[in-house]
Amino acid sequence: AHDVLVLLGVILTRHLNAAGVQWIPYIWDLHDAITIECREEQAELAMQCFEAAIVTLNSELGTLVPIRGIPTHGFTLADVKEPDQ
């Protein structure tokens, strides 16, 4: 499973760079999650890159059960972990 997360990180990097998102890895691997830091005005674009990366990942893996993930954004880790609070 960790190899899949690493592959997602590689794919996400490609998507973010191709979209021109100015980003840095904040917490690259914490409990099977990837957290980046980017400019506030690029947050929606970064989330679209996360979604596109998951589609690409599933295409490359070709598994019967797709990998899923829901990108969120916030100003703190608490915002990201608990977006509704």
Side-chain angles (χ1 to χ4, degrees):
H2 187 261
D3 291 344
V4 173
L5 183 64
V6 171
L7 180 57
L8 177 59
V10 170
I11 294 168
L12 176 60
T13 297
R14 291 179 187 150
H15 280 275
L16 290 166
N17 291 342
V21 176
Q22 295 178 354
W23 68 281
I24 58 170
Y26 185 66
I27 299 176
W28 202 242
D29 179 0
L30 177 66
H31 302 291
D32 296 331
I34 295 174
T35 305
I36 66 161
E37 186 173 326
C38 69
R39 296 179 177 276
E40 184 178 353
E41 62 270 12
Q42 291 186 315
E44 291 296 326
L45 179 58
M47 288 180 30
Q48 291 170 10
C49 290
F50 269 88
E51 292 169 347
I54 290 171
V55 170
T56 302
L57 175 70
N58 283 317
S59 176
E60 289 191 17
L61 291 176
T63 60
L64 295 175
V65 179
I67 303 296
R68 294 187 301 199
I70 301 170
T72 60
H73 66 83
F75 293 102
T76 67
L77 283 177
D79 291 343
V80 174
K81 292 289 184 186
E82 302 291 339
D84 296 331
Q85 293 186 12

